């Protein structure tokens, strides 16, 4: 368990991302949720665009089938992405939450995150929407997704309480969050600060970073696990998995969890057996040398 932002609430270090749940039938969805809970995964991440809302409905059916106490889990959903554009208007945020709650068949969200930055964001409107949703008891806490330091600072300056999460892509093969911090004052491309040092910023502000796509190269190439372009990385992961007697998936998640930022890893597997393997990450703590070996095996350099 770890604290979520500065809320004082304990949450599971691994969260289940429910983007692909729409592809399952009710029985399979129930099996996934049941396995997650058995493995101590009690934080569930949604978004209104996942399956066009079908993922949230499927999750609600699974919850009913399992008769899970709502207070035993934490639900997060995201809004702000529309077809062809982004929308952080007060009207859209409030309407989105009402629709999300209806699909999830719940009275409240533990966390609402804004999904991707909106270049036309009016922070006053967002603040009004958040205040209204909080006062109505529909959302307990708020966060963002894929935002940099000053985007967060701008929005935060209009809010009465701190944003608690920032959802950002991170894996051994996608490391912009880490690279520039290692290559300070160097001339190579890795030294370019692309996000306003958002990792250090979130640590400073005690925002929980939620790492999404921990196994992904990108949407075109898919996962780096067993990918021919990442042979050295896969050899390192396999050797460490054998050494620790855990799965290779667990080594990848343990690599993220080893970072002192206390990053929460969002995994999207809809395979119960794979979820069990991922949850093995909780059993181990990689050494400093092992963490850096995975980082460099992925093709990342040290100065």
């Amino acid at each position: 368990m770890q604290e979520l932002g500065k809320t004082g609430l304990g949450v599971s270090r691994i969260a289940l991302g429910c983007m692909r749940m729409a592809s399952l039938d009710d029985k399979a969805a129930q099996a996934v949720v049941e396995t997650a809970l058995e493995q101590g995964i009690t934080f569930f991440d949604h978004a209104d665009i996942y399956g066009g809302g079908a993922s949230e409905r499927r999750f609600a059916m699974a919850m009913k089938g399992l008769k899970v106490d709502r207070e035993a889990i934490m639900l997060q959903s995201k809004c702000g992405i529309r077809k062809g554009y982004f929308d952080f208007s007060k009207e859209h945020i409030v309407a989105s939450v009402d629709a999300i709650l209806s699909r999830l068949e719940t009275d409240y969200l533990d966390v609402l995150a804004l999904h991707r930055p909106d270049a036309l964001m009016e922070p006053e409107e967002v603040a009004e929407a958040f205040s209204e949703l909080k006062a109505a008891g529909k959302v307990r806490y708020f966060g963002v997704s894929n935002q940099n330091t000053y985007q967060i600072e701008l929005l935060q300056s209009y809010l009465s309480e701190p944003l608690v999460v920032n959802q950002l892509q991170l894996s051994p093969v996608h490391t912009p969050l880490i690279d520039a911090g290692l290559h300070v004052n160097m001339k190579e491309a890795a030294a370019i600060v692309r996000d306003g040092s958002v990792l250090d910023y979130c640590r400073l502000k005690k925002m929980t970073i939620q790492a999404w796509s921990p196994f992904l190269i990108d949407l075109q190439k898919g996962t780096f696990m067993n990918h021919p372009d990442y042979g050295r990385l896969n050899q390192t992961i396999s050797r460490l998995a054998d050494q620790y007697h855990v799965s290779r998936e667990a080594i990848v998640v343990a690599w993220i969890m080893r970072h002192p930022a206390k990053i929460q890893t969002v995994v999207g597997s809809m395979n119960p057996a794979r979820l069990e393997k991922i949850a093995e990450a909780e059993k181990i703590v990689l050494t400093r040398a092992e963490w850096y070996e995975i980082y460099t095996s992925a093709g990342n350099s040290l100065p």
Side-chain angles (χ1 to χ4, degrees):
M1 299 288 282
Q2 67 180 64
E3 184 178 0
L4 183 73
K6 292 189 285 188
T7 65
L9 297 175
V11 296
S12 56
R13 298 204 66 190
I14 300 172
L16 182 65
C18 298
M19 183 174 70
R20 299 180 182 88
M21 193 163 283
S23 65
L24 307 180
D25 60 26
D26 289 343
K27 183 178 179 180
Q30 186 169 313
V32 170
V33 174
E34 184 174 29
T35 299
L37 293 171
E38 288 173 348
Q39 299 304 312
I41 299 171
T42 56
F43 194 104
F44 298 90
D45 175 67
H46 295 269
D48 56 0
I49 63 166
Y50 293 167
S55 290
E56 290 172 330
R57 285 191 288 269
R58 190 74 70 196
F59 180 84
M61 291 296 292
M63 288 286 289
K64 284 199 297 186
L66 293 169
K67 296 181 172 57
V68 177
D69 182 0
R70 172 65 180 87
E71 302 301 313
I73 66 167
M74 294 199 69
L75 287 179
Q76 172 175 283
S77 195
K78 304 181 290 293
C79 71
I81 298 180
R82 306 186 73 169
K83 188 174 182 179
Y85 64 104
F86 304 118
D87 188 351
F88 287 0
S89 65
K90 176 184 177 182
E91 179 183 21
H92 181 67
I93 293 172
V94 172
S96 295
V97 169
D98 286 339
I100 289 167
L101 295 178
S102 176
R103 289 191 294 269
L104 287 174
E105 299 185 34
T106 185
D107 295 328
Y108 68 95
L109 290 174
D110 294 288
V111 183
L112 173 71
L114 299 178
H115 206 175
R116 293 282 180 186
D118 175 12
L120 303 182
M121 178 187 74
E122 296 285 357
E124 302 93 335
E125 274 198 55
V126 176
E128 289 177 10
F130 284 5
S131 294
E132 184 174 307
L133 292 166
K134 179 86 172 182
K138 295 179 180 180
V139 181
R140 299 176 69 192
Y141 301 101
F142 299 90
V144 294
S145 176
N146 306 293
Q147 292 203 15
N148 66 30
T149 298
Y150 277 100
Q151 289 170 328
I152 297 169
E153 276 286 292
L154 174 62
L155 178 56
Q156 185 65 74
S157 69
Y158 287 84
L159 302 177
S160 59
E161 58 184 78
L163 295 163
V164 301
V165 300
N166 188 11
Q167 201 167 94
L168 297 160
Q169 186 175 3
L170 176 64
S171 77
V173 304
H174 186 91
T175 55
L177 286 176
I178 296 166
D179 300 337
L182 287 170
H183 291 262
V184 175
N185 199 35
M186 305 298 288
K187 291 185 176 181
E188 56 263 38
I192 298 172
V193 179
R194 305 174 188 276
D195 54 22
S197 300
V198 71
L199 185 151
D200 293 323
Y201 172 85
C202 288
R203 291 184 72 182
L204 183 66
K205 299 295 183 179
K206 292 183 168 46
M207 291 180 70
T208 295
I209 291 176
Q210 297 175 328
W212 58 270
S213 291
F215 306 105
L216 199 68
I217 303 169
D218 56 40
L219 292 176
Q220 287 71 43
K221 294 182 179 179
T223 178
F224 58 81
M225 304 291 274
N226 299 320
H227 195 285
D229 291 348
Y230 294 94
R232 183 182 166 207
L233 173 61
N234 278 287
Q235 288 174 5
T236 299
I237 290 171
S238 294
R239 175 173 53 77
L240 290 171
D242 290 342
Q243 175 184 318
Y244 282 102
H245 306 290
V246 297
S247 68
R248 294 186 304 148
E249 292 91 341
I251 294 296
V252 175
V253 174
W255 181 81
I256 294 173
M257 292 167 59
R258 175 63 177 81
H259 195 281
K262 297 181 180 178
I263 298 167
Q264 186 182 41
T265 308
V266 181
V267 300
S269 178
M270 295 290 104
N271 182 320
R274 190 162 187 246
L275 276 180
E276 291 177 355
K277 291 180 179 180
I278 289 169
E280 293 175 341
E282 294 274 15
K283 301 176 182 177
I284 64 172
V285 178
L286 297 175
T287 68
R288 188 180 297 264
E290 290 164 348
W291 188 92
Y292 275 101
E293 184 181 8
I294 290 172
Y295 178 77
T296 54
S297 292
N300 300 303
S301 63
L302 298 178

